Amino acid sequence: MKTIAENINVMSKSIGAAMKDRDPGPIQEMAKRCTEAGADLLDINLGPARKDGPEMMEWVVNTVQEVSDLQLCLDTSNHEAMEAGIQACKKPPLLNSFSAQPDKMEDILPLAAKYDCEIIGLTMSTHIPIDTDERIAIAYEIVAAANELGIPNERIWIDPIILPIGVEVGQAHAVAVQEVLKMLPEVFDPPVQTTCGLSNTSNGAPDELRSAIDRAFLPMLAACGLTSAIVNACDPEMMRTVRLINALRNESLYSVSDAELK
Amino acid sequence: MKTIAENINVMSKSIGAAMKDRDPGPIQEMAKRCTEAGADLLDINLGPARKDGPEMMEWVVNTVQEVSDLQLCLDTSNHEAMEAGIQACKKPPLLNSFSAQPDKMEDILPLAAKYDCEIIGLTMSTHIPIDTDERIAIAYEIVAAANELGIPNERIWIDPIILPIGVEVGQAHAVAVQEVLKMLPEVFDPPVQTTCGLSNTSNGAPDELRSAIDRAFLPMLAACGLTSAIVNACDPEMMRTVRLINALRNESLYSVSDAELK
């Protein structure tokens, strides 16, 4: 399975300040760290990016690309910032993300089609259904709308949406996510990709317990067929878990170093 | 999922010596420790038990039952020791284990039928097939033979056999085990129980890396439907992983203490 590093995020105190001050140091250091840790893609999360969105996104993309060749995953609700980011990318990025609401789909899908981007579609519209079949029905809507614009299944990453385990009905949602992942390969041919915001599992738990919760869930999702996850690439135990998952799915040749903390 | 503590084992230096010397201290201490750690059953592994087998098994069972009310899982290839252990058990034990060879089945199944015991059947005959369908075919043989003696599916625990990830074709076997677990609920109605010797996954790896390997695999197996595992109950990170699995399968109500090391 692939990993998308969640770490270049405006919500992070040091990264957010560096973005605002256009200080490349902390951002490039983080990009290098995630790349060396074995991430397959780097998420660049600018949030709403209301102020200077396009200019900031272009600057961050260029700043990251100076130190890493990894594919980028662009994460902002600012349409102009998204397009500026795509244009700055050396290779077509993954666009993160949109729900199955008409205005959200009209915002992202034409951009993805125009620039040959991959996309992350969330199995939610105005609300997140607890029901597995409803999540699958929404995935249908997303895939149909994307296909209509010429975006093939292989470039669509469905995110069945993880809620914090500690919130009400969070556990039922955790089961639904597993069920959706098991069903998706039977529903779409060729299959779609899948991903999830893994850290959301432990959102609200004490900081020192979060990694353990996420590391228990990721192998479960992997066994259900998950093809990628957005993870904390700065957590060596998390990246070790990913290496071991890949060995235990027989997707990479196991060596004892896969079990080591790096 | 249930856990069977692997720790009362003649192969352990301190436990083996205590068994030989009929010294209850270390055995009772271990039984209490595993019980407090949250194990659901205690395995009592005497191995071949060639010398004083029946008398030793009876003594160990009684010694453990003085400090723990948990169901016991008796593990020996000595038929007389197995029967002596069953007779000493306050509640019918789980018998661990037999392969689908005529002499092995004739050794265990009549005992299980006579004393209302649960049984662990390994999906192997003279060799361990790498093929998923062959493993399922062997499970059929085991279940048919057990049913014939009046042992219902619910009391049959199928073990699809984990091999060390580091041996040749170990990774292919790891995938086969996951596939078998996914198929079993479709094959048997009512469903059989399942279990595995989890620590075998990391057999041969450096000691300090073994827990991480096992803790990556167990959630994968759990997501495939595994209903129990034989684990190192003295590993707090392992028992935390089990608690989190049960919460993430929505089989127990999550509380933040599930994520704590105890």
Side-chain angles (χ1 to χ4, degrees), chain B residues 109-177:
Chain B
L109 289 179
L111 268 187
K114 181 175 174 187
Y115 294 102
D116 269 339
C117 297
E118 297 178 287
I119 46 168
I120 297 178
L122 309 168
T123 61
M124 63 175 288
S125 51
T126 48
H127 74 291
I128 303 172
I130 199 161
D131 184 75
T132 303
D133 290 336
E134 278 185 60
R135 274 177 156 103
I136 293 284
I138 293 176
Y140 260 118
E141 275 182 63
I142 290 169
V143 171
N147 287 168
E148 202 162 303
L149 294 182
I151 303 169
N153 290 7
E154 302 90 310
R155 289 225 288 278
I156 305 168
W157 302 37
I158 295 293
D159 179 339
I161 307 184
I162 290 174
L163 293 188
I165 178 100
V167 302
E168 199 177 341
V169 299
Q171 293 183 250
H173 277 288
V175 171
V177 166

Side-chain angles (χ1 to χ4, degrees), chain A residues 171 178 219 223 247-248 252 254, chain B residues 171 178 182 220 247-248 252 254:
Chain A
Q171 293 183 253
Q178 295 170 65
L248 289 160
S252 66
Y254 168 79
Chain B
Q171 293 183 250
Q178 295 171 64
K182 284 181 195 167
M220 297 176 77
L248 290 160
S252 67
Y254 169 78

Side-chain angles (χ1 to χ4, degrees), chain B residues 239-260:
Chain B
M239 298 310 282
R240 162 164 80 177
T241 301
V242 171
R243 292 190 299 272
L244 289 169
I245 286 170
N246 288 337
L248 290 160
R249 297 210 299 191
N250 205 7
E251 291 175 352
S252 67
L253 189 64
Y254 169 78
S255 89
V256 73
S257 72
D258 291 333
E260 286 165 1

